[in-house]
Amino acid sequence: MEIPSINLGRGKLPSALDMPSIPLKQPSADMPIFPPIVIPPSNLEAPAGVELDEAEEEETETQTEQPTFRVPVVKIDLPLPSAEIVATATYAAVAAVATTTLATPLFDKIKKQVQKFLQKKVNKWKENRQKKKKKDSSES
C-alpha cells in the first residue's frame, strides 16, 4: 500500500514570502501630576511635652468615652447610643404615634362617607338596569 505524499524536491519546504515590516512608534502621553494629600491617622495624638488647650483635651476625652451596658448572663458589653440619638428617636416615635392616633378616626369617618356614597350610586345603577330590563321584556 502506498501512502500519498507531497514531493517538494529534496525534502525541503518552500521558502516563506518576504513581508515588509511596518514601523510602529510607541505611544506616549503626558500624565497629570497631582500634589500629594496628607491625611493624618485616626489615632493621632500630640507628642509628649506638647500642651493642649483645655477645649481640645475635653473634645478628645468626650469622643473616646462611649457608654456601654454589660449583659450579666452572657457577659457582653453593648455600646449604648448617645443622648442626642435617643432624643431624636423618641421625638420621631412620639410624632408617629400621635399622627396615627389622630388620623385614624378621621380616615374612618371619610371611609364610611365614601362607602355610603358609592353604595347609593351602585343601588341606583342596579335600579336603572332593572327598569331597562323590564322595558325591554315588555316591548318584546
Side-chain angles (χ1 to χ4, degrees):
M1 177 165 142
E2 285 187 38
I3 299 176
S5 65
I6 299 175
N7 190 359
L8 295 175
R10 301 177 206 145
K12 294 183 181 178
L13 294 174
S15 62
L17 298 174
D18 286 334
M19 298 291 286
S21 64
I22 300 171
L24 296 175
K25 294 180 184 177
Q26 282 230 309
S28 64
D30 294 330
M31 298 299 291
I33 299 172
F34 297 104
I37 298 173
V38 179
I39 300 174
S42 61
N43 60 354
L44 186 65
E45 294 180 5
V50 176
E51 295 181 16
L52 295 175
D53 293 339
E54 290 179 20
E56 290 178 358
E57 287 178 2
E58 289 176 8
E59 183 179 319
T60 56
E61 287 177 10
T62 56
Q63 288 179 354
T64 57
E65 292 179 19
Q66 184 175 4
T68 58
F69 174 71
R70 184 160 184 94
V71 180
V73 176
V74 188
K75 296 181 182 177
I76 295 176
D77 290 333
L78 296 174
L80 296 176
S82 64
E84 295 88 13
I85 294 172
V86 172
T88 305
T90 304
Y91 293 141
V94 168
V97 169
T99 304
T100 305
T101 304
L102 295 174
T104 300
L106 176 68
F107 287 129
D108 285 342
K109 192 164 190 167
I110 292 172
K111 179 183 166 188
K112 286 179 184 176
Q113 293 294 327
V114 169
Q115 280 179 338
K116 285 180 183 178
F117 175 76
L118 289 176
Q119 190 62 45
K120 286 179 184 177
K121 291 293 184 183
V122 169
N123 289 341
K124 190 168 186 171
W125 177 77
K126 284 181 181 178
E127 288 174 7
N128 289 339
R129 191 167 176 206
Q130 287 175 356
K131 286 179 184 178
K132 204 175 200 183
K133 279 185 180 181
K134 286 181 182 180
K135 258 187 186 179
D136 292 340
S137 64
S138 65
E139 289 177 2
S140 304

